[in-house]
Amino acid sequence: MFLTLLCFSFIVQAYLEGPPGPPQGVHVARWLLTWTPAPEEPDVTFTVQYRSFHESGWTDVPDCVQISSSQCNVTSAGGADQHGCTLLRVQAVRRGLTSEPAQACSKFGDPCTPEVRLSARPGSLTVHLPGNHSLALEHAAHAKHRVFYGKEGELLKDYVDKVSSVTIQGLQEGQRYCVMTQFLLYQRPAGPPSCISCQLIPLSQHQSKQTWILAVVLLVVLPAVLTPLVVYLFMFRCGSVKRWLRSNRHSLSQHFFQDLSSEGHIRVSSSDPEEHFDRVTSIQASSPCTPLRASWPALEQH
């Protein structure tokens, strides 16, 4: 009974936790496979698998099954393929649940991975690929490169198959694009792909010149034109501006005249003292833009 409850609790815990996260940064260099465990994933082991060129399924690497370390020598996997090139991937394992597989890539290039060099021009990106690699010497035109590309941060869905270097046209200027390449033998992947490389597509001289012209207009020309215009209007056309403003004056909306008290009018205390005021007798204006001058007699009190 106790063992039954223990097994049941183990199954429930595994179900609630779910599978672990996949490993990150899976790289292979000279048959040494390394990776980084997903963050905050305790009690996790790792299993490395390979797939040969002539096989469709994945096979565990004998020395790399449910290991706790984050590296493994996969030399035995390379000898299983007639071309010496195999695909590699790593899965995290916890309580019988496995993560999504993470495919390995090669940073530095080797006989099974293309050596990639990028050069960018306005609107295009050239992927330089050697045409005299070992697979091409042995299989001629049956050995090609599959070049995946796309914007940085997006999934690399688009691809082209070429024997040697390829130039990708129609790219957005000022945007970073990323590339990943892989060998193909008879239209099937052979060997780990190259790790993703990214390059900025530069702006064309015409577009760069337009940007500078727009900046100069906004920062220099526009203020230089507007400043004299404002000074002219203020000094010589102030009266015309005032008359135009008077003629286009909008009347106040009716809600400004609504009652301010619950009885419909404002009560004024009778205890307030009498108001003092000046009687204006004449108004003079010396110029359209100067304030009005008023004259009045001595102060009168009512």
Side-chain angles (χ1 to χ4, degrees):
M1 185 65 180
F2 176 77
L3 293 177
T4 303
L5 292 176
L6 184 63
C7 293
F8 180 76
S9 63
F10 177 83
I11 294 173
V12 170
Q13 184 179 2
Y15 176 78
L16 293 177
E17 289 182 351
Q24 302 173 356
V26 185
H27 300 146
V28 60
R30 295 182 180 180
W31 299 110
L32 180 63
L33 191 67
T34 60
W35 60 89
T36 301
E40 300 181 0
E41 292 289 357
D43 304 326
V44 172
T45 58
F46 302 95
T47 296
V48 180
Q49 297 178 320
Y50 72 93
R51 189 179 75 184
S52 301
F53 172 77
H54 60 281
E55 296 178 350
S56 57
W58 292 86
T59 305
D60 294 343
V61 177
D63 298 332
C64 309
V65 177
Q66 294 192 6
I67 60 175
S68 58
S69 65
S70 57
Q71 66 177 26
C72 184
N73 191 307
V74 293
T75 306
S76 58
D81 188 70
Q82 59 178 340
H83 302 291
C85 295
T86 59
L87 302 177
L88 297 166
R89 70 181 191 181
V90 184
Q91 289 180 301
V93 183
R94 181 176 59 203
R95 299 185 180 91
L97 299 178
T98 58
S99 69
E100 291 291 329
Q103 189 174 6
C105 67
S106 177
K107 282 185 176 181
F108 309 106
D110 54 49
C112 295
T113 302
E115 184 177 353
V116 182
R117 184 170 59 87
L118 305 178
S119 62
R121 300 184 65 182
S124 66
L125 179 65
T126 300
V127 185
H128 300 276
L129 300 167
N132 58 348
H133 51 86
S134 59
L135 293 179
L137 296 177
E138 184 177 354
H139 302 279
H142 297 292
K144 296 182 179 181
H145 303 88
R146 174 158 292 179
V147 181
F148 297 89
Y149 66 94
K151 292 183 179 180
E152 187 177 30
E154 297 180 359
L155 188 63
L156 306 184
K157 295 181 179 180
D158 300 324
Y159 67 88
V160 292
D161 296 340
K162 291 290 183 179
V163 175
S164 57
S165 300
V166 58
T167 299
I168 305 169
Q169 302 285 353
L171 302 183
Q172 181 181 345
E173 298 179 7
Q175 174 69 48
R176 287 179 62 85
Y177 282 83
C178 299
V179 169
M180 181 181 69
T181 63
Q182 189 174 24
F183 280 131
L184 293 180
L185 281 179
Y186 302 95
Q187 296 301 314
R188 295 190 61 183
S194 64
C195 294
I196 294 177
S197 302
C198 300
Q199 189 81 17
L200 177 66
I201 307 300
L203 298 175
S204 62
Q205 294 182 354
H206 177 69
Q207 185 172 354
S208 180
K209 186 177 180 180
Q210 285 184 337
T211 304
W212 277 104
I213 292 176
L214 182 61
V216 170
V217 169
L218 293 177
L219 298 178
V220 179
V221 177
L222 194 60
V225 172
L226 290 179
T227 301
L229 180 61
V230 173
V231 172
Y232 171 77
L233 292 175
F234 181 78
M235 295 181 63
F236 302 103
R237 298 295 180 183
C238 186
S240 300
V241 173
K242 292 176 65 176
R243 286 192 296 272
W244 180 83
L245 291 175
R246 292 194 191 101
S247 63
N248 290 276
R249 182 185 304 166
H250 295 283
S251 60
L252 293 176
S253 178
Q254 291 297 325
H255 71 271
F256 283 99
F257 301 98
Q258 60 184 339
D259 293 338
L260 300 179
S261 67
S262 59
E263 291 80 5
H265 61 276
I266 301 176
R267 296 182 178 180
V268 181
S269 174
S270 59
S271 61
D272 291 341
E274 295 184 353
E275 296 183 355
H276 299 275
F277 62 90
D278 297 335
R279 176 177 296 175
V280 179
T281 59
S282 63
I283 299 176
Q284 297 178 353
S286 58
S287 66
C289 294
T290 55
L292 298 177
R293 297 177 181 177
S295 62
W296 51 84
L299 182 65
E300 297 182 6
Q301 182 172 355
H302 298 277

